[in-house]
C-alpha cells in the first residue's frame, strides 16, 4: 500500500493525517547555474505530483513539470499555452523535493535576475492529483482518485502547444459542465459543451468531450485536479482538517467586514480570477511577502504574479490574509470590483502539528556572509538581531509579516524600513548585509502550533476587544507592539504578580521598569487569555482607535518551551523546565525591581557555560557583557548571583522564557 493510501486509511479510522507541509511547499531559491537539488520536504518521486517554477525578477515563463510525463524534460508553460522540452530545467523528482539543471529560466546564476520561486503539489486524496491520459476524440471519463469533491481542474496537451483550460466549481456554468477559463488568458468565463462533455466532475471522475482542449484522438494530456475541502479534510493531528478551498465570492467595491472571504483557516497561497470580466490570474503566497495592512494601503504590499503572463512579480495591496481567510482591498477590479464575481484556490498555512523538537522551531546563529545571512535551517518567521557592540539601533526585531520593516526591542519607535529584502529565504533570515560572523547573532523562530503565533490586528479604542489567535492552547506570554506610532512594547506573562490576577499586569520589553497594572491586557473584564483569543483594553500600547498592531503569542510545549517564575536566593539555584538536555535560549526579567535586571538573554550559540557567558539585553542597545549569570542544568538552567545583571538577587522576583 502506498504512503498516501496508508495515510488516507489512518484518517478514515480517526488517526493522524498528513501535515500541510507534507503535500504542498512554496520554496524560494537563488540560481547558481549548476545542477542541484531543491529540498522542500515533499516525496514527489514516491507519491507523484508537480513542481511549478517562475523567475521572480526576470520575464521568463511559468513552467510546470509533472511526475507522469516521464523523462524527456517536458514542461508545460501555463502562461502562453506552449510546451517546452529541456533536459536542463526541472530534471527530476526526489523523495524530499526536486532537481534542477543549468537552464537560465530555472537556475540563472545572476545577482539581479537569479531570484526564483517554486510551488510543489504532492499527490494526495482530498488535496491534489496529476493524471496522464490519452484522448479518444469522442468522450471519456477520467478517474482522478481524490475521493472528495473536485474544486478545480486544469488540462493541458502534452503533444501540442495549445492553451491550458480550467474548470472551477465556482464558475456560473460549472454545474452543467459548460463553463471554462483559459489558463493563458485574462478573458472572462466562456461556455462550450464539448470541453467537459457538459458534465461536472464527480468525487471520482472528470468527464471530457470531443474538444481539442481536452480530448483530441490519440493525443496525450496532463490533468491537474484540485480538491475542495468543506469539513471533510483528512489532514492534521486527528485527520480531520481542511487545507484547500476552491471557492467563489462577489466583490463589493469597498473594503469592509463584508469584504472578508471566510476559509476557516489562514491561507499561505492563493490564486484569484475575475470571471465576469477581463482580468489577469493573480497568485500570492506568504513566503514572497504577503503583508498588507487592513483598511490602509500604507506600506501595504503583497508580491503578486500574473500567472497568464511571463511578467516579473510586482508589489500591490490586493488581499490581506486573516486567521480565518482573507480580506479584500477597495480599489481593484482584479479582486474586489463592485458586484463582480471571482473564483479562487486557497491553500492553508502549515504546520498543523506542534513541534516535538525545539531545534525545528528555534535557533540562535551567527551572521553569515552567505545567503541567508542567518541560516536557521527552517522557515523563519520571526527574528531578533543582536549586536555585541554598543549600538542604539539594536536589538532589531522583524517578522515575515513585516517584510522590509522592523522594530527595535530597546525603543518605543514605530516601524522603520530595511533597505534590502529581509525575508527572501526559506531556511533563515537574510538582509543581504553580511560582513562577518563575530559581532552579530540572530535569534530565529518559526510559527508553529502551541509554540508561536503572530497576529496582526487593528485597534478599536474600547476596553474588552478580543483578538483571535491560532496558537491552539492558552498562551503563556504575549508581546504587543504598535506599528504606526511610537509607543512602548507591552508584555503579558502568565506569572506576573506571581500568577495571581496576572491578566491585570504588564511589562515593557523596551524598559527595565517593573510590572504594572493597567488596561493593556484583560484588566477591564478580568479576562484571562484562552486557547482562541486574548483581550486588550483601551491603552494606546495595545488598542488605540485605528492603530495597527502586531502581537507575538507564545505557548508552552513539554520538552520544547517553558514560561515560569522564581524568587532569587542570592547564591544559585536550579530552574526546572522539564527539559532533558538543558535550555538553549533563556530570557529573564526581574519584575519587582528595575535596578536588579533588564531583559537579559543568553543563548546556545554564544554559549551557556559553567562560568562566564556572553549576555545581551533586549531592553537596551548596550554591548553584551561576558559574565557568570547562568550555568548549565540538564532539566533547564541554573541561575547564579552576580552584581552586574544579577538574575538571582535574594528576594527579587523573576519571570523567564526558556527554549530547550
Amino acid at each position: 500500500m502506498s504512503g498516501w493510501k496508508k495515510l488516507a486509511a489512518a484518517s478514515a479510522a480517526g488517526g493522524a493525517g498528513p501535515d500541510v507541509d507534507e503535500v504542498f511547499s512554496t520554496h524560494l531559491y537563488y540560481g547558481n547555474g549548476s545542477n542541484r537539488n531543491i529540498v522542500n520536504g515533499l516525496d514527489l518521486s514516491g507519491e507523484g505530483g508537480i513542481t511549478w517554477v517562475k523567475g521572480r525578477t526576470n520575464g521568463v515563463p511559468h513552467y510546470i513539470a509533472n511526475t507522469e510525463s516521464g523523462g524527456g524534460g517536458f514542461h508545460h508553460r501555463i502562461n502562453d499555452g506552449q510546451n517546452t522540452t529541456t533536459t536542463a530545467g526541472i530534471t527530476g523528482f526526489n523523495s524530499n523535493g526536486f532537481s534542477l539543471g543549468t537552464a537560465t529560466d530555472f537556475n540563472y546564476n545572476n545577482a539581479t535576475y537569479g531570484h526564483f520561486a517554486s510551488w510543489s503539489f504532492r499527490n494526495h486524496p482530498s488535496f491534489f492529483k496529476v493524471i496522464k491520459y490519452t484522448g479518444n476524440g469522442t468522450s471519456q471519463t477520467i478517474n482522478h482518485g481524490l475521493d472528495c469533491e473536485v474544486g478545480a481542474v486544469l488540462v493541458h496537451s502534452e503533444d501540442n502547444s495549445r492553451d491550458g483550460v480550467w474548470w472551477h466549481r465556482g464558475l456560473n456554468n460549472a454545474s452543467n459542465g459548460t463553463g471554462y477559463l483559459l489558463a493563458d488568458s485574462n478573458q472572462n468565463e466562456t461556455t462550450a459543451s464539448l470541453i467537459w462533455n457538459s458534465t461536472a466532475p464527480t468525487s471520482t471522475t472528470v468527464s471530457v468531450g470531443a474538444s481539442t482542449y481536452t480530448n483530441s484522438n490519440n493525443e496525450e494530456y496532463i490533468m491537474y485536479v484540485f480538491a475542495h475541502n468543506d469539513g471533510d479534510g483528512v489532514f492534521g493531528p486527528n485527520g480531520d482538517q481542511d487545507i484547500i478551498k476552491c471557492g467563489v465570492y462577489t466583490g463589493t467595491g469597498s473594503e469592509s467586514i463584508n469584504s472578508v472571504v471566510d476559509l476557516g483557516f489562514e491561507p499561505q497561497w492563493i490564486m484569484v480570477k475575475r470571471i465576469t470580466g477581463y482580468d489577469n490570474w493573480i497568485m500570492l503566497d506568504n513566503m514572497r511577502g504577503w503583508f498588507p495592512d487592513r483598511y490602509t494601503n500604507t506600506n501595504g504590499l503583497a508580491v503578486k504574479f500574473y500567472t497568464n503572463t511571463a511578467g516579473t512579480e510586482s508589489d500591490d495591496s490586493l488581499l490581506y490574509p486573516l486567521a480565518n481567510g482573507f480580506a479584500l482591498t477597495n480599489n481593484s477590479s482584479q479582486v474586489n470590483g463592485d458586484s463582480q464575481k471571482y473564483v479562487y484556490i486557497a491553500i492553508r498555512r502549515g504546520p498543523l502539528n506542534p513541534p516535538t523538537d525545539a531545534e525545528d522551531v528555534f535557533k540562535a546563529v551567527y551572521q553569515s556572509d552567505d545567503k541567508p545571512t542567518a541560516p536557521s535551517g527552517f522557515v523563519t518567521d520571526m527574528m531578533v538581531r543582536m549586536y555585541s557592540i554598543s549600538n542604539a539601533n539594536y536589538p532589531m526585531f522583524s517578522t515575515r509579516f513585516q517584510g522590509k520593516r522592523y522594530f527595535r526591542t530597546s525603543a518605543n519607535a514605530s516601524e522603520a524600513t530595511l533597505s534590502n529584502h529581509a525575508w527572501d529565504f526559506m531556511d533563515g533570515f537574510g538582509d543581504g548585509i553580511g560582513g562577518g560572523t563575530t559581532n552579530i547573532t540572530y535569534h530565529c523562530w518559526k510559527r508553529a502550533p502551541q509554540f508561536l503565533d503572530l497576529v496582526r490586528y487593528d485597534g478599536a479604542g474600547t476596553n474588552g476587544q478580543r483578538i483571535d489567535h491560532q496558537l491552539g492552547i492558552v498562551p503563556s506570554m504575549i508581546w504587543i507592539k504598535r506599528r504606526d506610532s511610537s509607543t512602548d512594547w507591552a508584555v503579558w506573562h502568565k506569572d506576573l504578580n506571581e500568577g495571581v490576577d496576572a491578566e491585570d499586569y504588564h511589562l515593557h520589553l523596551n524598559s527595565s521598569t517593573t510590572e504594572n497594572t493597567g488596561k493593556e491586557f484583560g484588566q477591564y473584564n478580568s479576562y484571562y487569555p484562552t486557547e482562541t483569543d486574548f483581550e486588550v483594553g483601551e491603552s494606546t500600547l495595545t488598542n488605540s482607535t485605528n492603530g495597527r498592531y502586531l502581537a507575538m503569542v507564545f505557548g508552552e510545549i513539554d520538552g520544547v518551551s517553558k514560561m515560569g517564575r522564581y524568587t532569587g536566593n542570592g547564591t544559585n539555584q536550579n530552574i526546572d523546565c522539564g527539559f532533558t538536555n538543558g535550555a538553549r535560549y533563556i530570557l529573564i526579567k526581574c519584575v519587582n525591581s528595575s535596578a536588579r535586571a533588564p531583559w537579559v538573554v543568553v543563548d546556545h550559540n554564544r554559549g551557556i557555560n559553567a562560568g562566564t557567558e556572553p549576555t545581551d539585553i533586549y531592553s537596551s542597545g548596550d554591548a553584551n557583557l561576558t559574565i557568570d549569570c547562568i550555568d548549565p542544568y540538564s532539566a533547564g538552567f541554573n541561575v547564579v548571583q552576580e552584581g552586574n545583571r544579577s538574575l538571582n538577587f535574594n528576594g527579587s522576583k523573576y519571570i523567564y522564557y526558556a527554549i530547550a
Side-chain angles (χ1 to χ4, degrees), residues 231-491:
D232 56 356
V234 298
F235 303 91
N238 298 316
D240 59 356
Q241 297 296 300
D242 295 343
I243 68 166
I244 184 170
K245 299 276 189 181
C246 297
V248 59
Y249 66 89
T250 300
T252 63
S254 61
E255 186 177 18
S256 69
I257 190 64
N258 296 320
S259 297
V260 174
V261 178
D262 188 357
L263 300 173
F265 54 73
E266 179 185 335
Q268 64 167 304
W269 182 92
I270 285 184
M271 281 183 63
V272 175
K273 174 71 176 77
R274 181 159 72 114
I275 65 173
T276 48
Y278 279 61
D279 255 315
N280 292 314
W281 290 85
I282 295 166
M283 183 173 69
L284 300 165
D285 64 71
N286 64 349
M287 291 294 105
R288 292 179 300 121
W290 192 357
F291 38 84
D293 301 314
R294 193 176 181 190
Y295 304 128
T296 176
N297 288 331
T298 304
N299 291 323
L301 301 176
V303 183
K304 72 176 185 297
F305 278 123
Y306 294 141
T307 66
N308 54 292
T309 76
T312 60
E313 68 184 13
S314 58
D315 288 344
D316 204 350
S317 182
L318 293 174
L319 303 176
Y320 176 95
L322 303 170
N324 64 335
F326 58 95
L328 311 170
T329 56
N330 60 7
N331 60 352
S332 173
S333 67
Q334 297 177 85
V335 296
N336 195 24
D338 187 21
S339 300
Q340 297 298 298
K341 194 173 181 180
Y342 302 83
V343 293
Y344 64 85
I345 304 174
I347 297 175
R348 184 175 189 159
R349 183 187 68 82
L352 302 177
N353 294 292
T356 57
D357 188 338
E359 294 190 19
D360 293 334
V361 289
F362 176 83
K363 190 173 184 180
V365 294
Y366 283 130
Q367 178 165 294
S368 169
D369 288 326
D370 298 324
K371 296 180 175 65
T373 305
S376 65
F378 50 77
V379 174
T380 300
D381 295 302
M382 184 175 88
M383 75 87 188
V384 177
R385 184 181 182 192
M386 311 292 302
Y387 198 13
S388 63
I389 300 171
S390 180
N391 189 313
N393 292 319
Y394 286 79
M396 291 173 58
F397 172 98
S398 184
T399 65
R400 192 173 287 272
F401 276 163
Q402 295 171 272
K404 301 176 184 180
R405 292 161 287 170
Y406 71 96
F407 297 118
R408 285 182 289 147
T409 61
S410 58
N412 65 4
S414 59
E415 285 180 327
T417 302
L418 289 167
S419 60
N420 297 296
H421 289 281
W423 294 99
D424 217 9
F425 303 90
M426 298 306 304
D427 53 352
F429 171 84
D431 56 16
I433 295 175
T437 60
T438 58
N439 292 328
I440 294 178
T441 297
Y442 293 82
H443 297 152
C444 301
W445 286 261
K446 178 180 180 177
R447 287 177 79 188
Q450 302 182 23
F451 179 71
L452 172 69
D453 191 27
L454 304 175
V455 180
R456 293 158 295 184
Y457 69 92
D458 302 318
T462 57
N463 274 316
Q465 182 183 3
R466 303 281 169 85
I467 308 300
D468 292 337
H469 65 81
Q470 297 185 90
L471 192 65
I473 59 173
V474 176
S476 293
M477 182 171 66
I478 302 170
W479 301 354
I480 295 178
K481 180 68 181 77
R482 185 170 177 179
R483 304 171 63 187
D484 59 341
S485 181
S486 295
T487 57
D488 289 333
W489 291 73
V491 176

